[in-house]
Amino acid sequence: MTLNTEQKYILPAIAAAAHLTIQVRDSLITAVEKAGREPVTIADFGSQAIICRAIQEHFPDDAIVAEESAADFLGKLSAGAQALVTGLVSDQVHQPVDENMICGWLDYGKDKTAARTWVIDPIDGTKGFIAGRHYTIAVGFLMDGVPSFGALGCPAYTPETGYIFYTEDSNVYRVPLHEEQQPAPIAASTQADAASSRGVESFESGHTDHSTLDRIRVELGTTPELVVRMDGQDKYAAVACGDAEYYLRLSPDADRKERIWDHAAGVALVQAAGGIVTDLDGKPLDFSQGKTLASNRGIIACNQTLQEQLLQAVQQAQA
Ligand code: AMP
Ligand code: MG
C-alpha cells in the first residue's frame, strides 16, 4: 500500500518512538516531576526527539506544538538520565546523537506559526506508562487549525498486542506494532442502543470527574460494567475502531483547559472513522486557540448514532 507523504515518514518515527518507550518501560523507568506536578520520564523526551527529528528532516517548514521541552530536558534530568536518552534515541535512529541534538529536536518548530502544525504528545498517559497500564504516542496534524491527520502509537492497547492507528485521507487503519501485517481498515461502531453502549474514560481520578461521568451514565441508562478506565488517547483509538461507543471527559478542575496535544490526533482519528467529537455542550472543539481548547468544556467522542442521547444525558446529569 502506498502511503501519503506525511504517513510515510511519521509512522516509522512513531514505531521507533514506541519501541523506545517499551525498552524504557521494561527496564529503566525513572520519573521526574515537571511544573504542575505532572510526571515526565526519559522516554517522554526520547519519544518526542525521534518524532520531531522526522518532522525536521521531511517537513522543515511546519510548526510543532509538543508537550516536552529542551528546557525541561536540561533542567529536570540528571546528566546520567540525559545520557540514557541520547543512547536510546541513537539506537532507534541509527546515528550518533548528543544532548545538543536532542535539545534541537525537542524544540524544533516550536516558535513557528504555520498553516501546517504538528501536535505531539510523546507519551500521553505518563502515569499509565509508569504504572504499566495504557499510554499513547500521539501525533496530530492541524491544517489551518483543524485536525486533519492523526496517528496514535498504542503499545499497550491489549495486553498481547500494541498497534498504530492512523488516518489516511478519509480512512482509518490499524497495524500491529510488532508483526509484519497489512494495515486493516477500522470504523467506529454503529450501535445505537444507549443502554448497552460501551464507554471509556480516564483511569486517573485527577484527570476526569468520575462521579459526574457516573451520573451521566445513569441518565444514559447504561451500567458501570460497560465502562473501561484507561490512560492516554487509547480511548480515542477504542472509539475509532468500535471497541467502545463513547469517550467522556470532564476535568475535576473546573478552571483547567484541555491541552491540544491530548486530543488533536485522537479527534482526527475518531472523525475519520465515522465518529463525532464535541465538548460537553455539543460545541465543536476549537484547536485554533493556542495550546489549550480554551473555548471548550470537556469532551464527548462517540459514534454518530449516540451523540444526541449523550448530550441529553450530560445536560440532565448537570441540571
Ligand atoms: P488521561 O491519560 O486520559 O487521563 O490523560 C492524560 C492527560 O491528562 C495528561 O496528558 C495531562 O495533560 C492531562 N491532565 C493532567 N491533569 C489534568 C486535570 N486536572 N484535568 C484534565 N486533564 C489533566
Ligand atoms: Mg498527555
Side-chain angles (χ1 to χ4, degrees), residues 38 121 124-125 202 206-207 231-232 235 249 251-252 256 258 262:
E38 289 178 29
D121 194 337
D124 184 29
S202 286
H207 295 175
D231 310 272
K235 295 186 279 297
R249 182 181 191 98
S251 179
R256 188 181 195 277
E258 294 289 340
D262 290 335

Side-chain angles (χ1 to χ4, degrees), residues 140-174:
F141 181 80
L142 305 179
M143 188 57 137
D144 293 319
V146 176
S148 58
F149 159 69
L152 300 178
C154 305
Y157 189 73
T158 71
E160 301 78 31
T161 318
Y163 291 96
I164 296 181
F165 298 79
Y166 65 95
T167 64
E168 164 107 79
D169 302 324
S170 47
N171 303 308
V172 194
Y173 299 90
R174 87 175 184 185

Side-chain angles (χ1 to χ4, degrees), residues 19 26 48 76 85 92 99 115-116 151 165 178 186 196 212-213 240 246 256 279 282 297 304 318:
H19 288 119
D26 294 348
Q48 181 166 317
K76 304 278 177 185
V85 175
Q92 293 295 334
E99 285 79 0
R116 292 171 50 95
F165 298 79
H178 297 284
I186 57 169
S196 58
T212 301
L213 299 191
Y246 65 91
R256 188 181 195 277
D279 71 6
R297 185 181 71 98
Q304 304 264 357
Q318 297 185 315

